Amino acid sequence: MSYTASPSPRGTLFIIAAPSGAGKTSLVKALLASNENVAFSTSTTTRAMRPGEVNGRDYHFTDVPTFQAMVERGEFLEHAKVFDNYYGTSKAAVMEKLNAATDVILDIDWQGARQVRTAMPDARSIFILPPSHGELEVRLKGRGQDSDEIIARRMRDAVNEMQHYNEFDYLVINDRFDVALHELQAILLTHRLRREPQTARYATLIKELLG
């Protein structure tokens, strides 16, 4: 007789943070594409929609009064003001996915991660680092969008952000993209193989084996 695993009773919220230029966005996209039963948490923002962006896919775009009303109603797991624009993570949207036994990837900064850990202590957090200062600067310059002054500011901001790596559960160095992606996949798999969710998935099998 063979046994089919039952769905996990609840998914896990994975927080992923990194300094600008560490390659987080590309890694998260690849992680989502290569893993079943994983969803991305789309943030709400008050900034203007950019060319090519789609409301509901890239962000949930709204205005400042609506955003502030959502804050007052306690609808965000975390929220912050960045460069005159507001960003937030919908508590209801995240919980809906988690309760459907789907793991959720949350792409935020270290400050947002602190807020989420306070609200959801069972969330797991991952910090991504570049392999060196020199490589980080090369990646930032490689975008070809910013002046030297802005690059210098981004480098200073990155150093500040990287000082908070020790607040996270896991640390991934993005030197080789394929290796970093494999490590992220391993983190998700290892967490899914913990005793508690495995017991829920294979309850029928365990009962049979112990009976």
Side-chain angles (χ1 to χ4, degrees):
M1 181 182 297
S2 61
Y3 291 86
T4 301
S6 301
S8 172
R10 181 172 172 176
T12 298
L13 178 59
F14 290 94
I15 305 164
I16 301 183
S20 179
K24 175 181 62 173
T25 300
S26 297
L27 283 169
V28 168
K29 287 181 179 179
L31 183 64
L32 290 166
S34 61
N35 281 267
E36 296 181 355
N37 210 39
V38 179
F40 183 73
S41 174
T42 303
S43 297
T44 300
T45 184
T46 60
R47 78 159 171 77
M49 190 184 305
R50 295 169 182 166
E53 290 184 328
V54 177
N55 187 31
R57 182 193 69 187
D58 300 286
Y59 286 95
H60 295 293
F61 295 95
T62 189
D63 54 30
V64 173
T66 301
F67 190 97
Q68 291 177 335
M70 294 174 71
V71 171
E72 292 174 2
R73 293 194 297 268
E75 295 183 15
F76 291 122
L77 274 177
E78 60 84 28
H79 61 89
K81 186 176 183 180
V82 182
F83 300 123
D84 299 323
N85 295 304
Y86 292 95
Y87 296 82
T89 299
S90 169
K91 184 187 305 181
V94 168
M95 294 307 302
E96 180 180 6
K97 293 181 176 69
L98 294 177
N99 289 332
T102 299
D103 291 336
V104 178
I105 302 295
L106 183 54
D107 178 354
I108 53 177
D109 64 11
W110 65 269
Q111 293 170 305
R114 279 185 175 178
Q115 294 181 50
V116 174
R117 281 193 296 265
T118 298
M120 299 185 64
D122 57 344
R124 299 295 89 190
S125 57
I126 307 166
F127 199 87
I128 299 172
L129 286 173
S132 67
H133 274 268
E135 177 60 24
L136 179 61
E137 188 171 8
V138 167
R139 292 177 184 179
L140 290 173
K141 289 182 176 179
R143 297 176 176 180
Q145 300 174 343
D146 301 315
S147 65
D148 290 342
E149 182 180 354
I150 292 177
I151 294 295
R153 189 195 71 192
R154 290 188 181 278
M155 285 295 295
R156 291 193 298 270
D157 290 344
V159 171
N160 178 63
E161 292 171 21
M162 289 188 291
Q163 291 175 352
H164 297 275
Y165 81 92
N166 57 356
E167 299 177 16
F168 291 72
D169 300 309
Y170 300 95
L171 183 64
V172 172
I173 310 301
N174 186 17
D175 186 2
R176 286 179 47 193
F177 185 88
D178 58 335
V179 174
L181 176 59
H182 178 73
E183 291 176 349
L184 288 173
Q185 292 168 333
I187 291 170
L188 266 63
L189 176 59
T190 300
H191 199 71
R192 289 173 179 172
L193 294 178
R194 289 176 301 116
R195 176 180 53 79
E196 183 178 353
Q198 284 289 77
T199 299
R201 291 188 188 101
Y202 294 99
T204 302
L205 171 60
I206 292 171
K207 182 179 179 180
E208 175 70 20
L209 290 171
L210 299 181

